[in-house]
Every structure is written in structure tokens, then in C-alpha cells.
């Protein structure tokens, strides 16, 4: 028996989602063919604005890779357009002269941006924002054009505007209504949104009607109805969508605003169906993603001949995907004579909430600033819940009931990727997931706009109970961002971000140029991740590390030359003495790290001090290896069994200069008497009969911590190897400014031991460390030999006063 | 009585690295000169009102500088210390002409130096 043929016109989110449902409902029952005009497999169109905003990449928003089509025996004609449908013969013809017979035909042709028919709308630089091609064009334009105007202050317009801001354009949003997102928000929330976006640098004109677009070939500006003018070299129209219905109309289907369908998604010809943005159901055309999933489920069951509940329309919910702005609306948001509304406005926190009810049932809500109740309210509206229940929840002193607890397995948690509560909970159980990040990686929930991350955390709590550690969850790097260290480092690696500026642009920093917390941290992470193709940014370093000297309270500096292993000689001491005389050093002090500190030097003397010293920097200011303290060891000591000085010098020469999350202090003692204090160092080595013990995570500072025994080894060679792997593992996994003591406690000693003693991992770690080490230079020498650095960083201008 | 001001050439634009400070000594005054990413140049007294930290060595973000001593955040536009800390730093007028950067200093100040905390 031959299989029935299903043909889908439109390779977009709605159609492919429906095909997924068909395959799930009746595997292998159909021969499936998909015809799509775009040259790509199915991707998540609603996230294009996030691509434009730089939060994600095209490859990341692909929903179905080409492999998926192959694995499911789907014939995909991409880059091909259906041109004719014969509903009598049941065939579809394409622009490549193919005629494809069907038993079931699904229209999912989507929509096009509605372009206002203004004079001048046909000029270059005037466009919509709908597909990957538009996205690429905009990114390309942003390289040369500076002034962008977005016509339309709805969701798409604002998301596009934010993307253009991130591309460093000057952006104005022109909106014809009195307030932004007027179809989804009430005036209050609209005003708050305007204020918030203006804080982000967006210019916004409401109540403004465009009359004409000016320019010769390329657009040069907008003339408004009130006679005023605004310059622009890029204009985006985001005023609405126009369902793509021409083909359906030509095929004799009943078409109104969209292709007219019944409650089972059937169009007016036999075996022809439609869904998504090209479709009109009960006089409504939906332009959002959730209804299309609902429609897809019903249509799939209809095609498969399985009993299904009819589709009766969807309650619309809106989430604006602009970082740093939380806006949500659902259901009915406009008051009527019979509705009652509950409002809460907290100017202090910048939050606003309105919940509407009709005959005692929750019918709609607008949330601004705090959208944590969005899922609860959506599910209450869907269930036609009693407003009293909601009020009771608000007023109870009992801990808030988890929103997710009252949801059923079919309820969608992640609207962007259509992930249900059931999918997430089974993934948590079956795959042993324990963090939001893991759920994201495994199910895609919260991968897109991130709005449901707190719900995912609730589900983890619900599923794992007390074993779920909420404190182990995402902690933002600083107040300029909501992202955690790990998310940021992943992005730096994956998106090849090599400057702090690009990190801030791509990851939607809340501040233009960061702060004194994130800038040095980002600079460290970037150099750690890209040791050979990133620049160490001087302007993102703390003064001591920028100038390679320690600033003192009076603005002078102190200088500490390297003395490997705390060993010096008469020549070095003579040089230090001469320099101290010549530059009038105020204090010479022997440090705890077994070297000499010279205090009271002037900034503009530093380069010549270093030249006269002719010794390498001891990095007494650095987040790097500081000293390797040693005891005198086997050469002279009556007890010392090992050559501690020799090993100490070797360690210091091997690991010096490379950046680490925080300072690293080492020590080598030749015997368990531990004269070099190996027990309170980041790495402490202790000589024993026939080998060495390596201790880690010790600290002799504010939070005293005794080091733990990591391993015992036989040779110096092994000490260098284990220390190297440990050193690099700390570099790659610690948070900036996290010393090894808390780091060892956070990761666990056993875990670290497993990593650094694993032959494969340790070799790889050392190889990466070697790349970073090879890229370092001796900083004092560099200053001496580079006039530009001396001029920019060390010179003090002292212009004469004219009398 | 109008204060007469001296216009003093303090640097060439190319000597000023973007987002970093430069120390300038004028008579008894020590100034911190900053070239911001938007191209503008600002000058303030090189002394944090908290514990006299050297502001020229601070980290610059937008039009603010973070004092390297205790991380106080100071506006380079008006010299105001940002919350939660309080205080202010004296600002000096800057004029950029082509490549040359000038600072305007009152006659009195030039000779005697400003008093910290007066701004």
C-alpha cells in the first residue's frame, strides 16, 4: 500500500511544527514534502531580533537542521516557491516546474512585513525586518550607516531598534499612537516602557505620523505630517504583518484577511488546510508563536485522522525580548464598562501591574518591571480562574505557592521554544539535570529570551526537592549584567569575542563601558580564552597592573624586582642600593615573599628605575604568580632532604608572568618542618623521603586556611607537571578575584585531583598553559623599549605658567 | 569681580590615550586629564575627596572615573561623587583646538593651588 502524501507549502515555524506533531502522532504513515522559498532549513524567526541584538547567532536559532529532514524521510525543496495549486487534481506546481501530487495540502505561507504605502517607500535603505536576509542586510548597513529610524513602536519595532542600538547606530523609533506597544499595553505601562528604553539610549517619538520619505536614490530622512523633518540613512518599517495569501486566493480558496479555516484548521477546499500567520480563524489572524503551536497540534491530529478537541482560539501573551526590560501582557488589557481591574504601581522599584477581571474571572494582565507572575496569570486566564483565588494568593502570608506546581504537564514553560513542563521534568529526572544551565542545554528551555529561567529553577526545585541548591544558580558578574561568569566565558569562547567592548555590545551590558568590577574581569576572561588573538586592554586594568608597580597612599609607587626563589647576590644588592640612592627611595623593606621592596618612587621615574635595575619584574602587584618562597634546603640545612631552592627557582621561572584569576603564592620546603610555610600557600610543596607532597588551596591572609594534600609524587618533573595542570585548571574555571582557597572548596579537592592526575586532561591543560605562557613578555623591558607606552602612561605633563 | 583665567596648553591630543588619565602639574595644582571614548577631554583635580586617591590612575567608564584607592565613582562632567558616597572634586574647563589641549586655570589657583573640597 502506498503512503499518503502530505505536502507543506512554507518551511517556517508553524508548518514544520505541525509536521513534527504529525510524525509524533503517526510515524511512517505519510510521504512528506516541504516547499520553502528561503534557502535555509526551519529557524526560529522570533529570535531574529536577538541575532540582530548580538545575543545569539543564526546557527543557534536553527530549529531543524537538514539532518532532521533526512532522518524523517522528508523531501525538502528549499529555495523553491510554490506557484500554483490545482485543488481538483490535487497537485502543487513550483517555480522550478515540478508538479507534486498531494493527499493533504497544508498552507503555512506566513506573512510579510506590511510596508506603509508612503511616497518614497521604494528608496534604497527602506526595508522590513522579517528574515535572515533582512537581518544580514541590517548588520551590513550598520557598518556604514549611522542614523536609523524604526517606524512602528510595537514588539518587532522595539526589538529591531534595540538590535540597531547594539550595532552602534543612532536609533529613533517613530510611533503613530500616543504610547508604545499600544496593542499589548495600557498607557501606564507604555509610558514606563518609553522611559526605560530612553534610558538605554533609544530616541522615541510617539504620536508622530510620517508623511513622506525623502532622498534621491537612497533614503535621507522622514518628513512628518506636522511639517518637521528627521534625518535618516536607514528606515525600518515594523508596523504590522500582511498574511501571504496570494497563492491561496489564486487557488480559489476562501480568503478574507487570511486563509479562512474552521476549528479543525480546514480551508475551503477538500484536503487543504492552513495554519500560522497566513490563517484567519474566527476572524482573527495571529502573529505570535503560541497560537501556532496550538493550531499545529489540532491540524496534525486532523490530518492523521485522530480524534481531537477543536481549536477555539488562543489567549495572546506578549513578551518583549529586549534585555534589561521586562514587559509582559496577556489576554484582554483594555478596560470595559463591565470589567474590574486591580493595579499596583511601585515607582520605587519601577514595577507596574494590572490584572483585569470580567464577571469575577481573570481575563487579562499587564506586567512591567517584574514579570515573575506571567505564567501564573496566563494559566489562570486559560482556566478562567476566579479573581478571588488570585487575590488570596496575593494576600496570604504563607510562602507564595510555586507557579509551576499548579501547572499541568502540557503547559508550555518556554514559549520561545515550545518546551512543556512535562518535557523539562522528565529531562531533569532521566538525565539527572541539576541546574538551569543544564536544562537549557538539554531541552532548549530558557535558551532564547531567558524569560522563563526562574520557572525552570522552580521546576528543578519541584522535581529535586531539597537536593536542588538554588544558591548554586546563576550569580551575575556585576550590576552591569544579568549574566553569570560561566555564561559570559562561554559566550567569549563561542562567539570569539576578543575585546571588552564587543562583549558588552553582544551581551547587552546595561552600562555603556562597564564598571571597575566587570572591565578587569572581562579583560582577564578574554585573555584566558584567547591568549594569542586578543590584546591586554590597559584601560581595563587596575592601576598597579597597568603601570607594573604598586601605588601607595601618597600617589608614589613601590617597585619589587624578581629574586627567583628568594635568592639574591652581591651584584643585585649593589644595583638596588645604587637605584635607592639615585631616586631617593624613602624605604627599603624586605618582604614576606623573600625579596626587596623599594618605596616612594615617582611615576615618571619608573621606566628609568627599571632600566638601571636591569632585573625582571617581581609582579608584586599582579594577579599572577607572585613569589615562590623557599627554605634553604639540602645544600646547607642539617635536616633538609631535598633541593628546595632549586625546585623553587624552577617553578618561578616556569610559571611567571601569565595572568591568573587572583594572585598565586607558592612555597617549597625541603622537609616537613615547613620553614617556607608551604601549608598556607596557593601551592605548597613539601619534601619528604623519596619525593614531594603537593598541597593546594592554602591561604595565610584574611581567611586563614590550611592547604590540602593534593598528591604525593616522586620527582621534580612530576611536581612541575601536576602544578602546571592545577595552575591552568584554576585559570580556566575560577571566577575573577577568586583565590585558590575558596576555589578548591567550591570545586572540591577530589574533583580537582581527578582532573590534574588524569593523563589526558593534564596534558591538554599544560598544552593550553604553554600557549598562554609563550604569549607573555617581560613588562619592564617592554616599557623601557616603547616610547609610546612611556609617553602615554608614565609621563607627567608640567606646563610652565606664564606670569 | 570676574576671575581672570590663564589658558594653558597641557597636551597634544595624540598624547592622551582613550579611557585613561594623564597627570598634569600646573604650578601648585595637580590635575587629572581624561580623553573619553566620545572624543571629549575632561580635567579634574587629581585628588579624591575621600583619602586623596590619585584619580588620574582610575578606571574610566563613560564620563565617570573610579578612584583606584577605594573605588569611589566620580563624574568627570561636574566632579560630583556618585552615591552612596558624597563629596565633589573641582573641575577645570578644557578647550581642544585641533591637536592642542588647553586647560583654563584661575590666576589665584595657579599660584596657590586649590583647596581640596572647594568646588
Amino acid at each position: 500500500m502506498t503512503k499518503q502524501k502530505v505536502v507543506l507549502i512554507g518551511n517556517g515555524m508553524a508548518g514544520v511544527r505541525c509536521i513534527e506533531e504529525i510524525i509524533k502522532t503517526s510515524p511512517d504513515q505519510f510521504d512528506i514534502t516541504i516547499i520553502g522559498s528561503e534557502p535555509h532549513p526551519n529557524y526560529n524567526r522570533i529570535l531574529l531580533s536577538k541575532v540582530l541584538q548580538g545575543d545569539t547567532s543564526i546557527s543557534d536559532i536553527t530549529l531543524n537542521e537538514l539532518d532532521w529532514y533526512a532522518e524523517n524521510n522528508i523531501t525538502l525543496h528549499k529555495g523553491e516557491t510554490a506557484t500554483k495549486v490545482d485543488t481538483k487534481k490535487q497537485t502543487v506546481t513550483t517555480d522550478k516546474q515540478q508538479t507534486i501530487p498531494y493527499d493533504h495540502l497544508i498552507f503555512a505561507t506566513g506573512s510579510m512585513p506590511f510596508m506603509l504605502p508612503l511616497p518614497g517607500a521604494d528608496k534604497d535603505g527602506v526595508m522590513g525586518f522579517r528574515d535572515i536576509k533582512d537581518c544580514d542586510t541590517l548588520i551590513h548597513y550598520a557598518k556604514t550607516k549611522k542614523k536609523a529610524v524604526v517606524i512602528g513602536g510595537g514588539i518587532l519595532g522595539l526589538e529591531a531598534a534595540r538590535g540597531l542600538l547594539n550595532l552602534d547606530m543612532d536609533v529613533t523609533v517613530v510611533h503613530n499612537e500616543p504610547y508604545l506597544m499600544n496593542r499589548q499595553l495600557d498607557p501606564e505601562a507604555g509610558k514606563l516602557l518609553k522611559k526605560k528604553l530612553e534610558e538605554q539610549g533609544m530616541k522615541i517619538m510617539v504620536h508622530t505620523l510620517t508623511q513622506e520619505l525623502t532622498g534621491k536614490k537612497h533614503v535621507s530622512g522622514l518628513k512628518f505630517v506636522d511639517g518637521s523633518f528627521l534625518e535618516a540613512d536607514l528606515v525600518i518599517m515594523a508596523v504590522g504583518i500582511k498574511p501571504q495569501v496570494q497563492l491561496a486566493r489564486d487557488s480559489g480558496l476562501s480568503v478574507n484577511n487570511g486563509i479562512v479555516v474552521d476549528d479543525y484548521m480546514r480551508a475551503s477546499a477538500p484536503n487543504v488546510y492552513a495554519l500560522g500567520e497566513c490563517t484567519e480563524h474566527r476572524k482573527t489572524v495571529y502573529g505570535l508563536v503560541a497560537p501556532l503551536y496550538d493550531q499545529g497540534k489540532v491540524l496534525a491530529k486532523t490530518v492523521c485522522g485522530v480524534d481531537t478537541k477543536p481549536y477555539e482560539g488562543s489567549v495572546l501573551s506578549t513578551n518583549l525580548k529586549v534585555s534589561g526590560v521586562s514587559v509582559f501582557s496577556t489576554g484582554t488589557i483594555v478596560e470595559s464598562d463591565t470589567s474590574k481591574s486591580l493595579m499596583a504601581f511601585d515607582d520605587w522599584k519601577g514595577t507596574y501591574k494590572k490584572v483585569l477581571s470580567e464577571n469575577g474571572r481573570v481575563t487579562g494582565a499587564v506586567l512591567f518591571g517584574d514579570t515573575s507572575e506571567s505564567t501564573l496569570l496566563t494559566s489562570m486566564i486559560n482556566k478562567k480562574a476566579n479573581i478571588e483565588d488570585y487575590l488570596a494568593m496575593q494576600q496570604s502570608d504563607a510562602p507564595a505557592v510555586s507557579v509551576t506546581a499548579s501547572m499541568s504537564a502540557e503547559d508550555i514553560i518556554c514559549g520561545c521554544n515550545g518546551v512543556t513542563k512535562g518535557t523539562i521534568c522528565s529531562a531533569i529526572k532521566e538525565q539527572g539535570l541539576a541546574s538551569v544551565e543544564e536544562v537549557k542545554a538539554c531541552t532548549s528551555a530558557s535558551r532564547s529570551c531567558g524569560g522563563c529561567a526562574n520557572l525552570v529553577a522552580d521546576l528543578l526545585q519541584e522535581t529535586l526537592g531539597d537536593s536542588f541548591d538554588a544558591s548554586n544558580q546563576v550569580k551575575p558578574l556585576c550590576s552591569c549584567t544579568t549574566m553569570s561568569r560561566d555564561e559570559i566565558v562561554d559566550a567569549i569562547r563561542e562567539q570569539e569575542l576578543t575585546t571588552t567592548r564587543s562583549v558588552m555590545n553582544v551581551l547587552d551590558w546595561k552600562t555603556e563601558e562597564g564598571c571597575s568590577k566587570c572591565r578587569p574581569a572581562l579583560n582577564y576572561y578574554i585573555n584566558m580564552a584567547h591568549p594569542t588573538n586578543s590584546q591586554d586592554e590597559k584601560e581595563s586594568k587596575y592601576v598597579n597592573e597597568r603601570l607594573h608597580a604598586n601605588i601607595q597612599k601618597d600617589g608614589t609607587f613601590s617597585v619589587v624586582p624578581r629574586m627567583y626563589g628568594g635568592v639574591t647576590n652581591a651584584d643585585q644588592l649593589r644595583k638596588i642600593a645604587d637605584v635607592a640612592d639615585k631616586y631617593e627611595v624613602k624605604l627599603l623593606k624586605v618582604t614576606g615573599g623573600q625579596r626587596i621592596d623599594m618605596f616612594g618612587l615617582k611615576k615618571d621615574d619608573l621606566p628609568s628605575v627599571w632600566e638601571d635595575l636591569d632585573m625582571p619584574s617581581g609582579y608584586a602587584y599582579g594577579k599572577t604568580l607572585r613569589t615562590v618562597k623557599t627554605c634553604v634546603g639540602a645544600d646547607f640545612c642539617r635536616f633538609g632532604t631535598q633541593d628546595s631552592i632549586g625546585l623553587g627557582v624552577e617553578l618561578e621561572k616556569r610559571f611567571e608572568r601569565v595572568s591568573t584569576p587572583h594572585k598565586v603564592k607558592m612555597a617549597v620546603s625541603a622537609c616537613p618542618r615547613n620553614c617556607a610555610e608551604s601549608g598556607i600557600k596557593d601551592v605548597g610543596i613539601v619534601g619528604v623521603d623519596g619525593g614531594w607532597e603537593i598541597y593546594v588551596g592554602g591561604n595565610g591572609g584574611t581567611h586563614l586556611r590550611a592547604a590540602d594534600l593534593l598528591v604525593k609524587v616522586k620527582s621534580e618533573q612530576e611536581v612541575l607537571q601536576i602544578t602546571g595542570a592545577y595552575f591552568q585548571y584554576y585559570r580556566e574555571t575560577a571566577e575573577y578575584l577568586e583565590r585558590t582557597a575558596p576555589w578548591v572548596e567550591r570545586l572540591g579537592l577530589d574533583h580537582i585531583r581527578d582532573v590534574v592526575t588524569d593523563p589526558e586532561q593534564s596534558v591538554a591543560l599544560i598544552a593550553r598553559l604553554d600557549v598562554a605562557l609563550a604569549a607573555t613578555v617581560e613588562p619592564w623591558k617592554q616599557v623601557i623599549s616603547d616610547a609610546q607606552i612611556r609617553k602615554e602612561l608614565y609621563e607627567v605633563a608640567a606646563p610652565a605658567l606664564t606670569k | 569681580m570676574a576671575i581672570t583665567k590663564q589658558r594653558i596648553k597641557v597636551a597634544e591630543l595624540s598624547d592622551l590615550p582613550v579611557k585613561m588619565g594623564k597627570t598634569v602639574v600646573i604650578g601648585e595644582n595637580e590635575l587629572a586629564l581624561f580623553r573619553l571614548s566620545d572624543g571629549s577631554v575632561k580635567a579634574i583635580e587629581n585628588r579624591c575627596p575621600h583619602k586623596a586617591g590619585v584619580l588620574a590612575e582610575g578606571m574610566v567608564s563613560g564620563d565617570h572615573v573610579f578612584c583606584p584607592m577605594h573605588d569611589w565613582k566620580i563624574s568627570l562632567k561636574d566632579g560630583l561623587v556618585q552615591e552612596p558616597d558624597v563629596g565633589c572634586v573641582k573641575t577645570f574647563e578644557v578647550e581642544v583646538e585641533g591637536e592642542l589641549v588647553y586647560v583654563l586655570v584661575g590666576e589665584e589657583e595657579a599660584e596657590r593651588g586649590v583647596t581640596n573640597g572647594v568646588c
Side-chain angles (χ1 to χ4, degrees):
Chain A
M1 175 186 142
T2 53
K3 291 184 184 173
Q4 289 208 314
K5 295 180 172 51
V6 171
V7 175
L8 166 66
I9 303 176
N11 184 28
M13 295 173 75
V16 175
R17 180 72 186 204
C18 174
I19 297 290
E20 284 178 339
E21 293 285 340
I22 290 175
I23 293 170
K24 211 159 67 180
T25 311
S26 310
D28 296 329
Q29 193 185 324
F30 299 103
D31 260 337
I32 301 170
T33 302
I34 302 180
I35 304 164
S37 301
E38 283 192 71
H40 310 278
N42 177 35
Y43 62 91
N44 191 336
R45 198 180 298 280
I46 43 176
L47 291 184
L48 273 178
S49 57
K50 296 296 254 185
V51 173
L52 189 64
Q53 289 176 25
D55 290 353
T56 183
S57 62
I58 295 286
S59 61
D60 256 352
I61 66 167
T62 302
L63 291 168
N64 305 76
E65 301 289 352
L66 288 174
D67 297 353
W68 174 84
Y69 296 84
E71 279 160 19
N72 290 289
N73 298 318
I74 295 168
T75 311
L76 172 64
H77 299 288
K78 60 183 171 57
E80 197 164 336
T81 308
T83 50
K84 188 166 165 277
V85 172
D86 186 330
T87 53
K88 300 239 170 4
K89 290 191 186 143
Q90 300 212 148
T91 59
V92 181
T93 309
T94 74
D95 59 352
K96 297 205 171 145
Q97 310 315 320
Q98 294 200 75
T99 300
I100 304 162
Y102 67 82
D103 298 301
H104 302 276
L105 175 66
I106 302 170
F107 273 86
T109 42
S111 67
M112 292 297 276
F114 176 65
M115 300 300 276
L116 292 169
L118 297 168
D122 53 352
K123 294 187 191 307
D124 290 349
V126 182
M127 55 187 291
F129 178 45
R130 168 82 190 168
D131 56 24
I132 289 180
K133 198 163 118 269
D134 294 338
C135 197
D136 288 341
T137 309
L138 285 177
I139 290 169
H140 172 77
Y141 266 132
K143 288 185 178 132
T144 53
K145 310 286 179 223
K146 281 293 146 248
K147 288 185 79 72
V149 172
V150 178
I151 303 180
I155 300 173
L156 186 61
L158 295 176
E159 287 174 3
R162 176 67 224 211
L164 295 169
L165 267 188
N166 290 4
L167 292 166
D168 278 343
M169 294 190 82
D170 170 281
V171 185
T172 308
V173 174
V174 174
H175 191 55
N176 59 349
E177 297 291 334
Y179 61 93
L180 296 174
M181 283 177 68
N182 51 289
R183 290 170 57 179
Q184 295 90 8
L185 300 181
D186 60 357
E188 283 310 316
K191 277 186 207 125
L192 289 168
L193 176 61
K194 176 168 183 275
K195 197 169 133 210
K196 189 88 195 171
L197 292 170
E198 283 171 337
E199 280 167 17
Q200 293 191 354
M202 213 178 275
K203 294 171 186 162
I204 294 166
M205 300 164 69
V206 290
H207 242 323
T208 308
L209 281 167
T210 312
Q211 187 170 29
E212 175 186 353
L213 301 175
T214 61
K216 288 202 175 78
K217 191 166 175 295
H218 194 99
V219 70
S220 67
L222 297 84
K223 227 188 232 142
F224 300 117
V225 170
D226 65 7
S228 61
F229 177 81
L230 178 65
E231 229 180 287
D233 45 19
L234 174 63
V235 175
I236 310 224
M237 294 216 194
V239 290
I241 57 169
K242 209 168 94 196
Q244 295 246 61
V245 293
Q246 199 53 49
L247 179 65
R249 199 171 265 142
D250 295 346
S251 315
L253 296 178
S254 160
V255 173
N256 196 7
N257 280 326
I259 304 166
V260 179
V261 296
D262 64 8
D263 287 357
Y264 294 91
M265 311 312 294
R266 292 177 294 210
S268 60
N271 304 321
V272 179
Y273 319 84
L275 86 162
E277 291 181 339
C278 63
T279 308
E280 183 176 319
H281 170 266
R282 299 192 188 180
K283 300 211 161 50
T284 307
V285 175
Y286 293 102
L288 293 168
V289 68
L292 122 196
Y293 291 154
D294 299 342
Q295 294 175 351
K297 281 188 183 139
V298 173
L299 173 48
K301 292 208 162 93
T302 307
V303 169
C304 297
V306 178
D307 265 351
T308 172
K309 278 191 290 197
Y311 173 71
E312 296 175 313
S314 300
V315 175
L316 289 184
S317 298
T318 307
N319 232 326
L320 180 69
K321 289 178 293 302
V322 167
S323 299
V325 186
S326 311
V327 190
F328 173 82
S329 90
T330 180
T332 315
I333 49 149
V334 185
E335 282 101 339
S336 66
D337 297 343
T338 52
S339 69
K340 286 202 171 78
S341 51
L342 168 90
M343 285 195 216
F345 177 56
D346 184 338
D347 207 359
W348 197 245
K349 288 195 190 127
T351 58
Y352 167 76
K353 169 161 79 174
K354 180 169 84 175
V355 179
L356 262 83
S357 64
E358 186 88 44
N359 304 325
R361 308 273 169 204
V362 184
T363 52
V366 177
L367 303 171
F368 184 93
D370 174 4
T371 53
S372 55
E373 287 183 345
S374 59
T375 313
L376 170 73
L377 286 160
T378 307
S379 107
M380 287 187 110
I381 293 167
N382 282 327
K383 294 184 179 125
K384 302 191 169 61
N386 202 317
I387 186 79
E388 300 290 341
D389 297 347
Y390 177 75
L391 292 171
M393 279 184 212
Q394 297 296 302
Q395 284 156 358
S396 74
D397 288 336
V401 185
S402 156
V403 173
T404 52
S406 62
M407 293 171 74
S408 60
E410 291 79 55
D411 276 345
I412 293 220
I413 297 278
C414 173
C416 291
N417 297 302
V419 190
T420 60
K421 172 177 168 175
T423 306
I424 295 170
C425 290
S426 30
I428 293 170
K429 283 195 220 95
E430 288 157 22
Q431 319 273 339
L433 309 179
S435 72
V436 175
E437 280 302 303
E438 287 174 351
V439 172
K440 180 159 110 182
C442 185
T443 66
S444 280
S446 83
R447 196 188 82 186
S448 302
C449 73
C452 61
N454 54 351
L455 297 177
V456 173
D458 285 354
L459 287 178
L460 280 156
Q461 184 79 55
E462 198 181 309
T463 316
L464 301 173
D466 291 342
S467 66
F468 172 67
D469 179 6
S471 68
N472 211 351
Q473 303 298 311
V474 174
K475 186 173 75 193
L477 181 73
C478 69
S479 59
C480 303
T481 177
T482 53
M483 290 176 77
S484 68
R485 179 263 179 212
D486 290 357
E487 290 172 318
I488 292 165
V489 172
D490 285 351
I492 288 172
R493 288 182 191 281
E494 284 162 20
Q495 308 189 40
E496 290 271 331
L497 305 173
T498 56
T499 64
T500 56
R501 183 159 184 78
S502 64
V503 173
M504 291 177 195
N505 276 345
V506 168
L507 304 183
D508 252 337
W509 239 238
K510 295 177 200 166
T511 52
E512 193 64 34
E513 294 178 349
C515 67
S516 52
K517 287 188 183 63
C518 60
R519 279 256 298 282
L522 292 179
N523 186 51
Y524 168 76
Y525 294 138
I526 289 166
N527 289 317
M528 178 270 290
H530 307 296
T532 54
N533 57 351
S534 66
Q535 294 290 319
D536 195 16
E537 290 175 19
K538 290 195 164 56
E539 71 274 18
S540 300
K541 298 188 84 157
Y542 180 65
V543 51
N544 291 358
E545 294 158 79
R546 179 167 65 228
L547 297 179
H548 295 283
N550 294 57
I551 197 165
Q552 304 300 322
K553 67 181 217 180
D554 62 354
T556 64
F557 289 84
S558 89
V559 160
V560 183
R562 266 247 187 258
M563 290 177 178
Y564 293 97
V567 177
T568 182
N569 57 41
D571 273 350
Q572 275 186 355
L573 292 171
R574 246 181 237 107
K575 258 192 276 189
I576 289 169
D578 290 343
V579 166
D581 286 342
K582 180 173 170 185
Y583 296 94
E584 297 170 347
V585 164
K586 296 193 183 97
L587 170 74
L588 277 174
K589 174 141 191 357
V590 177
T591 71
Q594 302 181 331
R595 41 215 201 157
I596 293 173
D597 201 343
M598 314 159 80
F599 288 86
L601 293 159
K602 295 191 202 65
K603 178 168 72 164
D604 42 356
D605 280 339
L606 291 172
S608 43
V609 166
W610 297 332
E611 199 163 4
D612 292 348
L613 279 173
D614 192 29
M615 290 168 76
S617 166
Y619 274 91
Y621 46 81
K623 292 171 188 58
T624 172
L625 173 61
R626 298 265 178 111
T627 65
V628 183
K629 190 170 184 168
T630 64
C631 67
V632 74
D635 285 355
F636 290 88
C637 182
R638 291 174 299 141
F639 305 107
T641 46
Q642 298 279 23
D643 177 12
S644 48
I645 290 180
L647 180 57
V649 170
E650 203 173 355
L651 282 165
E652 196 166 352
K653 289 195 164 161
R654 168 90 173 96
F655 299 120
E656 67 176 329
R657 291 203 288 264
V658 75
S659 63
T660 46
H662 209 320
K663 60 186 166 190
V664 175
K665 298 179 175 184
M666 296 191 189
V668 186
S669 304
C671 77
R673 286 179 185 74
N674 222 334
C675 294
E677 301 162 348
S678 301
I680 50 163
K681 297 286 184 261
D682 296 282
V683 178
I685 316 287
V686 177
V688 290
D689 240 0
W692 299 94
E693 287 172 340
I694 303 176
Y695 290 85
V696 295
N699 192 306
T702 323
H703 305 286
L704 206 60
R705 183 178 192 273
D708 297 307
L709 177 62
L710 182 70
V711 285
K712 191 176 158 183
V713 296
K714 289 199 171 57
S715 66
E716 284 79 7
Q717 197 41 49
E718 288 169 287
V719 171
L720 286 162
Q721 209 167 347
I722 297 281
T723 306
Y726 169 84
F727 197 78
Q728 180 65 10
Y729 196 53
Y730 169 57
R731 291 187 73 232
E732 290 180 2
T733 56
E735 292 178 12
Y736 185 71
L737 296 186
E738 180 180 38
R739 286 289 296 271
T740 63
W743 173 74
V744 165
E745 289 190 357
R746 186 166 64 88
L747 267 63
L749 181 70
D750 293 345
H751 165 77
I752 294 172
R753 184 184 296 121
D754 289 347
V755 172
V756 302
T757 55
D758 175 84
E760 218 166 283
Q761 290 192 73
S762 74
V763 165
L765 283 163
I766 289 168
R768 291 198 291 271
L769 175 61
D770 283 333
V771 171
L773 284 163
T776 63
V777 292
E778 207 298 296
W780 291 355
K781 272 210 174 72
Q782 195 187 19
V783 172
I784 294 163
S785 65
D786 190 328
Q788 186 66 20
I789 293 182
R790 286 205 305 275
K791 197 178 183 77
E792 285 188 356
L793 297 185
Y794 297 92
E795 209 172 68
V796 172
L801 281 167
T802 48
K803 275 284 165 219
Chain B
M1 188 187 113
I3 301 171
T4 47
K5 290 200 172 171
Q6 278 202 34
R7 185 165 178 267
I8 300 161
K9 184 202 142 189
V10 289
E12 293 185 14
L13 216 44
S14 58
D15 300 347
L16 301 178
V18 178
K19 280 201 279 194
M20 284 195 270
K22 188 172 193 71
T23 313
V24 177
V25 178
I26 299 177
E28 291 300 309
N29 300 286
E30 199 168 291
L31 276 55
L33 199 64
F34 297 93
R35 184 174 172 195
L36 310 185
S37 348
D38 66 6
S40 65
V41 179
K42 304 281 176 204
I44 58 171
E45 194 192 350
N46 193 15
R47 188 187 159 90
C48 180
H50 177 217
K51 301 232 165 144
V54 192
L55 298 175
E57 314 297 356
M59 204 169 294
V60 179
S61 169
D63 44 26
H64 291 90
V65 64
F66 292 87
C67 175
M69 292 290 161
H70 307 93
D71 215 32
W72 277 33
K73 187 180 178 183
I74 293 154
S75 164
L76 298 171
K77 284 194 299 196
D78 51 21
L80 282 179
V81 173
Q82 307 295 289
E83 290 190 344
D85 305 306
V86 287
C88 67
V89 181
K90 188 174 165 52
T91 56
F92 295 84
E93 262 178 279
V94 178
E95 289 177 359
V96 180
E97 282 180 19
E99 260 297 288
L100 303 181
V101 183
Y102 298 89
V103 170
L104 303 185
V105 183
E107 297 277 2
E108 290 261 304
E109 293 165 348
E111 283 168 28
R112 288 185 306 145
V114 293
T115 340
N116 188 40
V118 178
C119 39

